[in-house]
Amino acid sequence: METVLITGTSSGYGRETARHFHSQGWNVIATMRTPRPDVLPESDRLRVVELDVTSPESITAVFEAAGPVDVLVNNAGVPSISVFEGTPMARVREVFETNTFGVMAMTQAVLPQFRERGSGVVVNVTSSVVLGHMPLSAVYKASKMAIEGFTASLALELAPFGVQAKTVEPGACLTTNFAARATNGGSLDAFVPAPYAAFAKKAMDDFTGQDVFTKESDVAETVWRAVHDTTGQLRFPAGPDAVRLAQAK
């Protein structure tokens, strides 16, 4: 029986991906910064483990607890909606610590076992912001574009060992708590200097007024497809809005 380790499973895409792999008969190691076992099915094939992807000690501990894994899904992320001029550099670093360096650190930790075994898949969940030009996402997009480039190069390094690396690019999902987390629990106004107010309001209205959105299940199913794909495809848009952006490129 195969084992997947998924980061950021307390809600949204991560939780739905954990449920999906579990429903397909896999062993699931569902990690979250603050463990909440009640959000996932009780099962001897599903373990909830504490993990902070920004902590080297936490990463070491989670792989020791996990034992051998076949797939790593780097889903944990910090959303960010802001006007760049009004975004403190401390916030920028916070976003990159999780979205970029956390993904790299988790990947580096799993690679020795994948390489030695001659198999394994790393799936890095990025975002459809990498597919189009979207305002209020400069910091978030930069953190995700870095992982797109990282994964593309990494895939070439791993191919001789039979190991794969891919990205899944979810569209916009209104049923996750993205907006609240994106503003650090505050309001968007905190990161919008007054001269940008009208522009930011229109951008947010356009975003929430889209006619197509991504569901959590779209992302879970796309991660599943990416893990099992044997065509060499590198990037997998997830959700109708993401697919539409990818086709327009």
Side-chain angles (χ1 to χ4, degrees), residues 56-141:
E57 296 78 17
S58 184
I59 291 172
T60 300
V62 88
F63 280 108
E64 285 175 356
V69 300
D70 301 283
V71 172
L72 168 64
V73 179
N74 282 311
N75 166 78
V78 174
S80 182
I81 301 171
S82 64
V83 168
F84 181 68
E85 185 183 327
T87 308
M89 283 306 298
R91 174 65 176 162
V92 176
R93 291 188 177 91
E94 183 185 330
V95 171
F96 269 77
E97 281 294 342
T98 296
N99 294 3
T100 308
F101 306 137
V103 170
M104 290 179 172
M106 285 294 294
T107 301
Q108 196 169 65
V110 84
L111 288 183
Q113 61 168 295
F114 283 1
R115 175 179 47 74
E116 288 161 13
R117 196 187 314 138
S119 66
V121 184
V122 177
V123 176
N124 294 326
V125 179
T126 60
S127 167
S128 63
V129 296
V130 305
L131 298 169
H133 301 302
M134 302 178 190
L136 309 184
S137 66
V139 173
Y140 184 69
K141 180 170 181 173

Side-chain angles (χ1 to χ4, degrees), residues 7 10 26 55-56 70 75 87-88 130 140 144 155 174 187 193 206 228 234 247:
T7 67
S10 63
W26 279 49
S55 161
D70 301 283
N75 166 78
T87 308
V130 305
Y140 184 69
K144 295 294 192 177
L174 288 191
S187 71
D206 289 347
H228 292 88
L234 175 65
Q247 290 169 344

Side-chain angles (χ1 to χ4, degrees), residues 28-246:
V28 177
I29 296 158
T31 74
M32 43 187 94
R33 187 174 280 190
T34 306
R36 292 178 54 210
D38 59 303
V39 302
L40 289 165
E42 266 192 58
S43 167
D44 58 359
R45 288 188 292 103
L46 194 151
R47 288 159 58 202
V48 173
V49 182
E50 183 176 353
L51 171 66
D52 177 355
V53 300
T54 68
S55 161
E57 296 78 17
S58 184
I59 291 172
T60 300
V62 88
F63 280 108
E64 285 175 356
V69 300
D70 301 283
V71 172
L72 168 64
V73 179
N74 282 311
N75 166 78
V78 174
S80 182
I81 301 171
S82 64
V83 168
F84 181 68
E85 185 183 327
T87 308
M89 283 306 298
R91 174 65 176 162
V92 176
R93 291 188 177 91
E94 183 185 330
V95 171
F96 269 77
E97 281 294 342
T98 296
N99 294 3
T100 308
F101 306 137
V103 170
M104 290 179 172
M106 285 294 294
T107 301
Q108 196 169 65
V110 84
L111 288 183
Q113 61 168 295
F114 283 1
R115 175 179 47 74
E116 288 161 13
R117 196 187 314 138
S119 66
V121 184
V122 177
V123 176
N124 294 326
V125 179
T126 60
S127 167
S128 63
V129 296
V130 305
L131 298 169
H133 301 302
M134 302 178 190
L136 309 184
S137 66
V139 173
Y140 184 69
K141 180 170 181 173
S143 72
K144 295 294 192 177
M145 287 289 279
I147 291 303
E148 289 282 335
F150 164 71
T151 309
S153 185
L154 178 70
L156 301 175
E157 296 177 16
L158 300 180
F161 301 101
V163 180
Q164 301 174 76
K166 310 167 185 198
T167 63
V168 166
E169 302 158 336
C173 182
L174 288 191
T175 51
T176 64
N177 58 351
F178 184 95
R181 291 173 59 221
T183 54
N184 237 2
S187 71
L188 179 62
D189 300 344
F191 296 130
V192 178
Y196 292 91
F199 172 84
K201 183 182 184 310
K202 183 180 185 308
M204 285 302 290
D205 289 347
D206 289 347
F207 172 72
T208 53
Q210 283 177 217
D211 55 343
V212 289
F213 285 99
T214 295
K215 301 193 301 290
E216 284 98 334
S217 57
D218 295 331
V219 179
E221 288 159 14
T222 304
V223 171
W224 176 263
R225 185 161 55 86
V227 165
H228 292 88
D229 183 80
T230 56
T231 67
Q233 184 175 335
L234 175 65
R235 299 181 175 94
F236 294 79
D241 51 330
V243 169
R244 190 160 72 180
L245 281 169

